[in-house]
Amino acid sequence: MRKTFTVLRTVLVVIVSWVAVTFFSLEKVHASHVMGADITYECLPNGTYRIQLKVYRNCGGAALSDKLPLAYSSQSCGFATRIDSATRIQILDVSPLCPAQQQLSNCIDPNFPFPGVEEHTYELLLNFPMTCTDWVVGWSLCCRDPSVTNSIIPSFSSTRIYIEAMINNTLSVCNSSPSFVSNPVTYICDNQPVSFSSGAIEGQGDSLVFELADPLDGNYVSAPIPVPYVTGFGINYPVSTSPANQFQFDPVTGQFNFVPNGLQK
């Protein structure tokens, strides 16, 4: 059976002269300490939904709170935005370092030399007050890093990171979202071929189709809007490649292939 799910996972690519780092993309601090995030959900037997938010933190940046807000709303049902708090249940060190360098990650000590990454998992048990076809569960954080090279993000702006998942709880079958099984943090070398997949699986046997999505700027009041691209970049060409305009994405497998070219973030 084929069903439609909308689950966003943010992507951030940082390319330097010797290595490239790929990460899957409240309080007003620059969100450069957040490398990406994703939202998934599980429908429990009693109709409650377990919403799971994963946030990937640069250990060289600011700390994350024990609780983060999640907002939900439905346009078709006229249900205005309501905000609940998701509770952190786990922190994992997912630094993509060689074993000899794991103990020198700045996740262990901020003075250590190697850049580390933590995966912070938050959960919220959510009972929707009514059945609607278009529940949207979203998370937002201010502010996006203005040093990102493919997007127009003014310094000291309020451009936010925003991700969301859509849920239809009118179905006769209690549906859960696909989940991501691969770690979205990896190192890749400049001018070297890259092949990467999010490793999404669907536990109920439904087929999956993948598509690229624009990065979003949104809050819990107004509808999210796409973050504008720098001229030359776009949804189908988010990084500079060699040769130019050779970013390949497979909608069947969700895998993308490219050769990065030059310093980028």
Side-chain angles (χ1 to χ4, degrees), residues 78-152:
F79 187 89
T81 300
R82 182 176 298 173
I83 298 176
D84 282 336
S85 291
T87 301
R88 183 166 54 197
I89 62 168
Q90 180 176 263
I91 302 175
L92 290 178
D93 187 334
V94 294
S95 305
L97 299 173
C98 296
Q101 286 129 15
Q102 285 287 347
Q103 298 307 310
L104 295 175
S105 159
N106 64 357
C107 291
I108 297 174
D109 187 317
N111 296 312
F112 284 173
F114 294 102
V117 182
E118 290 176 340
E119 177 190 82
H120 292 240
T121 301
Y122 296 80
E123 285 191 354
L124 168 66
L125 293 179
L126 185 54
N127 290 292
F128 291 110
M130 60 189 77
T131 56
C132 307
T133 60
D134 61 344
W135 287 108
V136 176
V137 179
W139 176 71
S140 177
L141 178 74
C142 188
C143 301
R144 284 184 180 268
D145 186 351
S147 66
V148 172
T149 50
N150 71 348
S151 302
I152 300 174

Side-chain angles (χ1 to χ4, degrees), residues 49-61:
Y49 285 83
R50 178 184 287 117
I51 311 298
Q52 187 172 93
L53 167 68
K54 290 188 176 181
V55 181
Y56 296 90
R57 172 184 171 264
N58 169 12
C59 290

Side-chain angles (χ1 to χ4, degrees), residues 216-249:
L216 296 177
D217 172 13
N219 52 35
Y220 304 132
V221 179
S222 56
I225 58 175
V227 176
Y229 289 98
V230 171
T231 300
F233 293 102
I235 187 172
N236 296 311
Y237 189 59
V239 294
S240 179
T241 64
S242 177
N245 299 303
Q246 294 297 310
F247 183 88
Q248 299 174 342
F249 176 76

Side-chain angles (χ1 to χ4, degrees), residues 239-263:
V239 294
S240 179
T241 64
S242 177
N245 299 303
Q246 294 297 310
F247 183 88
Q248 299 174 342
F249 176 76
D250 189 332
V252 176
T253 64
Q255 179 165 303
F256 53 82
N257 303 282
F258 66 99
V259 178
N261 179 34
L263 301 177

Side-chain angles (χ1 to χ4, degrees), residues 4-99:
T4 300
F5 302 89
T6 300
V7 179
L8 297 184
R9 188 177 228 197
T10 58
V11 179
L12 172 65
V13 176
V14 181
I15 300 173
V16 298
S17 59
W18 60 279
V19 70
V21 190
T22 303
F23 299 99
F24 277 84
S25 267
L26 0 257
E27 299 78 25
K28 187 162 184 177
V29 295
H30 281 299
S32 55
H33 64 292
V34 173
M35 293 175 160
D38 55 61
I39 295 176
T40 57
Y41 58 88
E42 177 188 2
C43 185
L44 304 177
N46 62 356
T48 298
Y49 285 83
R50 178 184 287 117
I51 311 298
Q52 187 172 93
L53 167 68
K54 290 188 176 181
V55 181
Y56 296 90
R57 172 184 171 264
N58 169 12
C59 290
L64 291 170
S65 302
D66 291 334
K67 293 183 180 291
L68 290 179
L70 282 173
Y72 58 101
S73 62
S74 166
Q75 185 174 2
S76 67
C77 289
F79 187 89
T81 300
R82 182 176 298 173
I83 298 176
D84 282 336
S85 291
T87 301
R88 183 166 54 197
I89 62 168
Q90 180 176 263
I91 302 175
L92 290 178
D93 187 334
V94 294
S95 305
L97 299 173
C98 296

